[in-house]
Every structure is written in C-alpha cells, then in structure tokens.
Amino acid sequence: MKICKKIVLSLLTAAIPACGILAQEVADSLRLPEVVVTERYSDREIRSSAPVQIFSQDQIRYLHSLQLSDAVKHFSGVTIKDYGGIGGLKTISVRSLGAHHTAVIYNGISINDVQAGQIDIGRFSLNNVELVTLHTGQNDQIFLPATAFSAASSLVIQNVRPHFDKGKRINGSGSVKAGSFGLFNPSFYANTRITDKLTMTASAEWLTSKGEYPYRLQYGEKGDSSSMERRRNTDVENLRLEGALFADLSPATKGDLRVYHYRSERGLPGATIYYNTENYSNQRLWDRTFFVQSNIEHIFSPKWVLKGDAKYNRGYLRYLDPAYLGPGGKYEDIFNQHETYGSLSALYRVFERLSFSASSDLSSATMHAERKKFTTPTRLTWRSVFAAKWVEEQVISTANILYTQTFESVRNVEAAGNRSKVSPYLSVSVKPFTGTNLRIRAFYKNSFRLPTFNDLYYPAVGTRDLKPEDTHQWNIGATYAVSPGKNRTSHFTATLDAYRNRVKNKIVAYPTGNLHQWAMINVGKVIITGMDLSVEGTITFTEQVRLRMGGNYTFQSALDKTNPDKNTYNHQIAYTPRHSGSGRAVIQLPRVDIAYTLLWSGERYYNNYNSKEFLMKGYSDHALSVSKDFRTRLGKIDLQLEVLNLLDKNYQIVRNYPMPGRSFRINASFNF
C-alpha cells in the first residue's frame, strides 16, 4: 500500500511543475479528431452520439442562478434534491439513477467524496464559470482520464480561461449580489498576463445570508388549518478562494496549475414538525475543501499526444448537534478525507477519421475520524481504459472498455473485499440525409458505483460484504437543427431521446433489530424508462431586438423491481416525478433585456410505497429579471434585478423542507 501511495505522489510531483494542457490553435493545425471547432455550443449537442446539454456563461446569466444547482435544474432528465434555502444540501440525480452515479468534474478532474459518495453541488459558484455541461452516458471526447469514463453521467464545470484584447495585460470582473433573507454576495476575479507565455487568474467570493424565510405550514388536507411559520437556523457563510496559472511552454506543450480553497459554516434547519415549530433544530455543519490540481499535455507529432493529470485533495467536515439527548448532552463528528490522484493518457490518430486513446489512473483515498476505535479506511483505485473514435460527416461512433480494480484496507477490523469490474460502452450517431441536419443516435453503457465508506464502515450501519451497484443504460434518440437565416430563425435545435436504465444490487438501508439500527444491504433492483425532449431557438427581429427561447420536458417511469412479494413492487421510486420540465425566454431590446424562467414538476411520492398519504403535490416556480448594461471608458457595468418564485408559491422539493417564497435579488457587476 505504501508503495502504491508513493507512485501516486510521484505522478503528482512530476505533473505539477510541468503545467500543461493542449494548445487549441496547435491542435487545430494538426487536425486532431479530438478537437471539434464549431461556431455554436449547440452544434456539439446535435452532433454528439450520446445526449449532451450545455449552458454557456451568457446563458447562465439569464437563468436566475446564484449557485450551480440553480442552473442545473434546467437540464432535462435531472432531479435536484433541494433541502431549501441557500445553505441547504443539493444533490443531482440524472435519469433517476441517484446522485452516486453522477460524476462532478471540475476543470478536467473529478471531485470525489469517498465518505458519502455524493457531491453537494450547491457549494459551487457560477461567478467565474464559462461552461456547464451535462453528459448522459459518455462524453464523445475520448482523450480523457480513465475516471471520466466510470460514471453513468457527468456534470462538467469549466472555468473561464484568460483572454486579452490586444495591448491589455489585465482584465476581470467584480460583482455584488444582495437580496432577500439577508443575502450579501461580493465576488471578484482578475486575469493577468505575466509574460507572453505565462498568464494567471485569481478569484475570490464571499457569501453570507441569514436565510430565515416565512412559509405556510399546512395541517392535513386542503381546507384544514394552517399557520405561517418562519424557517430557523438557516444562516450560511461561504468563502471561496481560487487561483490558476497557465503556461505556454512551447507551441506543442501547454499546461495549468490550479489551487482551490472553500470553507463554509451553516445551520441545518431540519425537517418541519407539526405543532412543535418553536423547538427548531440548532445543528451546525462546518466543511472545508482544499485541493491543488495540474495538467500537462504535449503534442509529439500529428499522430501522438500525451497528457498527465494530478491532484491532491483534503476535505474536512464537522457536524454538531448541541441538543442531542444522549450521553454528554451533545453529538459531534469530525471527518477528514485525503485523496491523492494521478493519471496518464495517450491519444493516437491512425488517420484523419480514426483515433485511439488509452488512459490509466491511480488514486488513494483515506478517511479519518475523531472518534474512538474508528476503522480509518483506505481505498486504492486503479482504472484503465482503451477507447476508439470514428469521425466523419455522416457517422460519429465511439467505443471504450474500462477496467476498475480496488484495494481496501482498514485498521482494527476486517476490511471489505477488493473489487474488479470490466465496463463496456458503445455509441453511434448517423446523419441519414445529406441535405438535412437530422441525426439518429444510440448508445449502451455499463457502469457501477462502489459502496461508500459510510455504506461499509459506519458504526452499527455499515456492511462489509456489499456489492457495487451495477447499472446498464440504453438510449436511442434523434437530433435536428435548422440552418440560420430561414424565416427569421437564426438558430433552432431539437433533441428527443428515449432510454431504459436497469440497476442491480442497489444499496438500500434496511431496519434490523429496531428502528434505531439499520443495515446497508444489496436488495434493490430498479427499471427506469423515460424520455427527454429539449428545444431551443433564437428569432432575430432586427439588429437590436432578438428573442431566445428554450424548454425541456422529461417523462420518467422508475419502478421498484426488487421483490414481487413486497408492497413496493412496481411502484415509482421516491422523489421521482413522472412528468417534469423547464422553460426559459429572453427578449433582448435596445435598452434592456427581460428574462423569464420556469421550473415545474408533477406529483411524486416521498416513499417507495405509492399510497395517497405519501403523495406530494406538483409545483411550478417562475422567475423574472430585467437587466441593463452601460459602457464606460473603464469598462462595462451590468445591472440586474431578479424576482424569484414570482407567484409566491408554497412548495417543497423534499418532504418537510419548505422552499422560500417570493424573494428579490439585485446584481451589479463591473467588467474591466
């Protein structure tokens, strides 16, 4: 184990000073098939052999999004579990597979949480984000680390890279957001050209909010009594600091080095309790994340490219319940995670249309806890992938096979068993008619998610012999685009995908001797059948008047197929609406821009047993904003006024966690 850790540390040490990612202009000149230069991001969505959805920085501006989770809600097929308020936990599930099956990739490298296995995407800011991309199945780009091939879907966050006008050596932006419930959110980022080959970017953001908001507590069915209450213990304070260094070492070698620090303290308001609203939760949560990551990429020839990635991550989590009714009068847990990661990838272009890639990753993750006789688990994970890609105008196809091997070790107790798995993937996109931009696409993917450290080792809960969840995905769909200039429509795209997912060995919590002691077991089996529809278009009326519209609709039937003898058999799994969608529209006028967004969800159940008493009503959430920009000699000033939950609807996404009602937010930014 120590030898393996040294290998990972060696990869990290070697990669960081080298600093590199592939130079776009060099790759273009070499005509590498991995680089697709297109005029619009929507072209990627149309050409892709597996569903991909992209929000650019300009689109995010009009989505009324404070956090990453606010923007992601507008992707089709996505379910966000939102526990309410700015500081509430927010996790993403794609096509009902659960948050554990969605990888979060930050500037090319995955963010992991070996303790819980799911990432709180509410902690990510949109301040310096250039692109947010959701890949369902697999990214068409095959020149990636092996870990990027492992999940059923991936949410990719790409920060803004430094760009300079001729003669400028510094630019950036500063903004202040303020609004209801005590929100105050200043942020700043700047890009600096140090030399012709070296640039740097730095950003900082602070967010604070009291978070207390009123809500209506309904007792029983409609017509029964209700009362107006106020959400308590909802304060939050976040600080994010980030810096990146970009080096153009040569025309064929480029790289970056990134340092990230995040810290947060928040109250956990807990679930609402009937007739006991004064005795609110006073639990607290502190978390800190620090990581440093780097990437180097070198073009050896028009046929060969080599890339290295490395990362060190440290995570800290402290939970406190000062009102715990047990020995000591409080409950406190402190966890520390350490992860070291290294990756090496190679791309070989056989000829213009055919390319191959191979990648191998090694990571070591350890979790410590400040409690007696804690097992201190360590997981060493090795992943290797071989991939192929064929690209031409009529056909795009990718295939890969991923091998995963894990090694488990713990202190004091018996470790869980080591695991190995081979996971294949195949996708194809065909353009049947040369004169029409219509494409038919399909993919199959097998993936799995490992049990988390909580699943395996949490006291009185963890089970050592858990098997990984095994997932099979099938997708068939069509994409269509209208050429610019027809009937005033400068841009129109539509995608339609039907899919079927099967999950075996699903890990669920099961009560044992009493309701206070649960065990994690492999009893779950879920069959998910669904459809995603997405449309987007732009109509240009004059040079100064333009209408941009988009919308998504999702149908999902996610049925429990575990045991025909159980009363939950063939019932919809919890928190999965059969019908949901979103809409957005922006009208750009000479003086102002007006933006409208809609999120809606049909009925769903908060229990896997679909009886009437567990039914949650559907909801809709409307938002409206007006924005205007001013040009000055020093730069551009943007002002935006937003009204969120415009109709002041009282609704819940998670049972007994009410969402805020109508609120206001103002955003002022200065771009220099």
Side-chain angles (χ1 to χ4, degrees), residues 331-350:
Y331 186 87
E332 185 175 17
D333 253 330
I334 297 177
F335 296 98
N336 285 280
Q337 295 185 43
H338 299 267
E339 181 191 17
T340 311
Y341 166 86
S343 174
L344 191 63
S345 308
L347 175 69
Y348 176 62
R349 184 177 71 112
V350 182

Side-chain angles (χ1 to χ4, degrees), residues 289-513:
T289 299
F290 169 82
F291 65 76
V292 55
Q293 68 183 49
S294 70
N295 170 284
I296 180 170
E297 190 166 318
H298 178 73
I299 303 174
F300 287 94
S301 72
K303 290 184 177 292
W304 281 100
V305 186
L306 190 66
K307 177 172 66 174
D309 298 282
K311 179 177 181 179
Y312 170 74
N313 177 82
R314 179 179 178 180
Y316 168 89
L317 181 70
R318 179 191 173 203
Y319 166 79
L320 174 66
D321 183 358
Y324 177 67
L325 301 178
K330 68 175 183 178
Y331 186 87
E332 185 175 17
D333 253 330
I334 297 177
F335 296 98
N336 285 280
Q337 295 185 43
H338 299 267
E339 181 191 17
T340 311
Y341 166 86
S343 174
L344 191 63
S345 308
L347 175 69
Y348 176 62
R349 184 177 71 112
V350 182
F351 48 86
E352 184 176 358
R353 296 176 180 175
L354 180 64
S355 56
F356 294 97
S357 74
S359 178
S360 189
D361 297 4
L362 190 63
S363 66
S364 176
T366 302
M367 185 175 74
H368 301 271
E370 297 186 13
R371 56 166 61 184
K372 293 181 179 180
K373 297 182 180 180
F374 185 70
T375 56
T376 311
T378 296
R379 174 177 291 162
L380 187 71
T381 305
W382 173 46
R383 292 185 175 96
S384 290
V385 67
F386 179 75
K389 181 177 180 180
W390 177 274
V391 179
E392 59 176 301
E393 178 60 25
Q394 301 301 118
V395 178
I396 299 175
S397 182
T398 64
N400 66 69
I401 186 162
L402 172 71
Y403 175 75
T404 304
Q405 176 70 61
T406 65
F407 303 91
E408 305 275 350
S409 63
V410 297
R411 298 177 186 173
N412 306 320
V413 298
E414 181 183 357
N418 301 330
R419 299 291 180 185
S420 62
K421 183 77 165 60
V422 175
S423 305
Y425 171 80
L426 176 64
S427 69
V428 62
S429 172
V430 178
K431 185 178 180 180
F433 311 108
T434 56
T436 303
N437 201 2
L438 171 70
R439 289 182 176 270
I440 308 299
R441 63 186 179 190
F443 82 80
Y444 163 76
K445 183 171 186 175
N446 174 228
S447 60
F448 75 109
R449 77 97 167 171
L450 291 164
T452 66
F453 283 168
N454 280 352
D455 294 338
L456 295 171
Y457 304 112
Y458 201 83
V461 175
T463 304
R464 305 289 188 274
D465 59 354
L466 284 176
K467 299 177 182 178
E469 289 186 3
D470 191 37
T471 303
H472 297 266
Q473 298 170 269
W474 293 268
N475 184 99
I476 185 168
T479 66
Y480 178 71
V482 173
S483 301
K486 294 182 179 180
N487 300 323
R488 290 185 176 178
T489 303
S490 55
H491 163 59
F492 174 79
T493 62
T495 64
L496 176 65
D497 288 276
Y499 57 88
R500 187 173 179 86
N501 302 331
R502 186 179 69 191
V503 184
K504 297 190 300 182
N505 297 324
K506 191 167 182 64
I507 300 171
V508 298
Y510 187 83
T512 56

Side-chain angles (χ1 to χ4, degrees), residues 113-279:
D113 186 330
V114 292
Q115 179 185 359
Q118 52 188 2
I119 306 299
D120 178 10
I121 63 172
R123 81 184 200 198
F124 293 103
S125 165
L126 293 169
N127 173 51
N128 62 336
V129 170
E130 184 174 37
L131 287 178
V132 177
T133 307
L134 179 66
H135 295 278
T136 303
Q138 185 60 51
N139 192 337
D140 265 357
Q141 302 298 307
I142 63 171
F143 192 32
L144 299 169
T147 303
F149 294 81
S150 62
S153 59
S154 56
L155 180 65
V156 181
I157 307 161
Q158 183 66 51
N159 286 137
V160 176
R161 294 179 61 87
H163 298 284
F164 300 93
D165 294 334
K166 187 176 181 180
K168 293 196 67 173
R169 302 189 69 87
I170 186 170
N171 58 41
S173 173
S175 69
V176 176
K177 298 182 181 72
S180 303
F181 319 129
L183 171 68
F184 183 64
N185 176 212
S187 62
F188 173 83
Y189 78 85
N191 304 314
T192 304
R193 183 186 295 279
I194 302 173
T195 69
D196 289 341
K197 294 186 176 182
L198 194 64
T199 59
M200 183 182 73
T201 181
S203 65
E205 181 179 28
W206 181 57
L207 183 149
T208 181
S209 175
K210 293 181 180 179
E212 295 187 358
Y213 53 87
Y215 68 96
R216 182 178 297 277
L217 184 60
Q218 187 77 39
Y219 298 89
E221 299 294 330
K222 186 176 181 180
D224 290 354
S225 63
S226 64
S227 62
M228 289 302 300
E229 308 295 342
R230 195 166 189 85
R231 204 76 166 119
R232 306 288 185 181
N233 195 41
T234 53
D235 62 296
V236 59
E237 183 176 357
N238 299 337
L239 174 66
R240 179 186 58 83
L241 302 172
E242 189 170 1
L245 197 64
F246 302 88
D248 295 340
L249 302 178
S250 72
T253 306
K254 297 192 176 185
D256 66 49
L257 172 69
R258 186 177 301 273
V259 179
Y260 179 97
H261 173 74
Y262 171 85
R263 64 187 305 156
S264 171
E265 179 185 352
R266 69 183 95 171
L268 301 178
T272 57
I273 303 174
Y274 292 135
Y275 308 107
N276 194 24
T277 55
E278 294 301 322
N279 188 21

